[in-house]
Amino acid sequence: MKKRGITRREWLAGASCLSLGLVPACATQTPRAGTISLEPYPRNAAEALLRLKTGNRRFMDDKPIHTHENASWRHQLVEEQKPFATVLGCSDSRVPPEMIFDVGFGDIFTIRLAGNIIAEDVIGTLQYGVAHLHTPLVVVMGHENCGAVTATVEEMLSKTEELEHIEALLALIRPGLSQLDLKLERKALLHAAVEANVRWSMRQLMALPRAAKALREKKVTLIGAVYELNTGKVRFLD
């Protein structure tokens, strides 16, 4: 019988097992029905978070395995998607979650808008990710030098005014920055503001009755993070 060559998917899955230290488990693991992923599908929020951290490490080390997805892989995603995490991030062009976490098409359900704010349509999209796509992990990810957060801080310092719809955006960020010490040195102030904004988004989500119930029953895990532009590292918050 002619030997079959190793496929790209099998090679990538093996590489992932090595990076995660899961060689024995992966050696005996068979693909789960309905699973469409180049790497072992996370069974819970902890494994989903580990996969994001591992991917971010590859990104930092300039060793991505998801440099592109070919037509045959995209074809498998036509009928369904099975993302393992929902990520709420910023629209900033320097912060694409798929690249930062080195994941492929169909791996994460992404919501992006300036300042990673919480609004009604954002809540609806997050709810869809958890209720219909069954993602066990939700990540709210801000980033250093966020323009929306910086504009909010500048407005708080100098009482400047923005265009009407930008002002409406800043109004959603401002409450989360109310406890900041505006006398801090500028770099430290903006650093603190970015993290405060992430925590503010998380608090708003946790205040929703359905979200609070899902978190309490451990149906989903919510975690905050900040992406560092200069290092490429995602710093997960306590």
Side-chain angles (χ1 to χ4, degrees), residues 151-219:
T152 306
V153 171
E154 295 289 358
E155 186 183 65
M156 294 170 68
L157 288 171
S158 59
K159 307 299 181 182
T160 57
E161 291 187 6
E162 285 282 359
L163 296 173
E164 178 184 0
H165 294 292
I166 297 178
E167 173 56 35
L169 170 69
L170 304 189
L172 295 174
I173 297 175
R174 197 179 302 116
L177 310 186
S178 61
Q179 300 302 311
L180 289 177
D181 181 0
L182 298 179
K183 295 180 181 179
L184 285 173
E185 181 269 332
R186 178 181 171 80
K187 185 176 180 180
L189 176 59
L190 294 178
H191 177 85
V194 166
E195 183 170 323
N197 183 51
V198 170
R199 295 188 184 279
W200 168 233
S201 292
M202 293 175 66
R203 288 202 303 274
Q204 291 177 85
L205 291 176
M206 290 186 288
L208 299 171
R210 286 185 180 275
K213 184 174 185 292
L215 290 166
R216 189 166 57 249
E217 295 175 351
K218 301 188 183 303
K219 292 181 178 179

Side-chain angles (χ1 to χ4, degrees), residues 45-162:
E47 290 187 4
L49 180 58
L50 176 60
R51 185 165 161 190
L52 291 182
K53 289 181 175 181
T54 303
N56 180 235
R57 170 49 63 182
R58 291 196 302 266
F59 173 75
M60 291 173 61
D61 293 342
D62 200 21
K63 297 178 180 178
I65 63 174
H66 291 279
T67 54
H68 68 279
E69 304 294 359
N70 60 28
S72 63
W73 179 249
R74 296 195 302 271
H75 180 73
Q76 296 186 60
L77 297 170
V78 171
E79 299 299 330
E80 67 170 334
Q81 60 172 316
K82 196 173 180 61
F84 65 85
T86 295
V87 178
L88 169 60
C90 182
S91 297
D92 193 299
S93 62
R94 301 165 294 178
V95 195
E98 291 82 1
M99 294 183 69
I100 289 170
F101 291 118
D102 188 33
V103 295
F105 285 15
D107 283 338
I108 59 175
F109 188 58
T110 306
I111 309 161
R112 297 181 67 184
L113 69 173
N116 44 272
I117 61 171
I118 302 300
E120 191 64 29
D121 52 350
V122 174
I123 294 172
T125 308
L126 284 166
Q127 193 170 61
Y128 182 86
V130 174
H132 290 278
L133 300 179
H134 309 294
T135 57
L137 177 68
V138 173
V139 180
V140 177
M141 185 174 71
H143 67 95
E144 299 292 355
N145 298 336
C146 176
V149 173
T150 299
T152 306
V153 171
E154 295 289 358
E155 186 183 65
M156 294 170 68
L157 288 171
S158 59
K159 307 299 181 182
T160 57
E161 291 187 6
E162 285 282 359

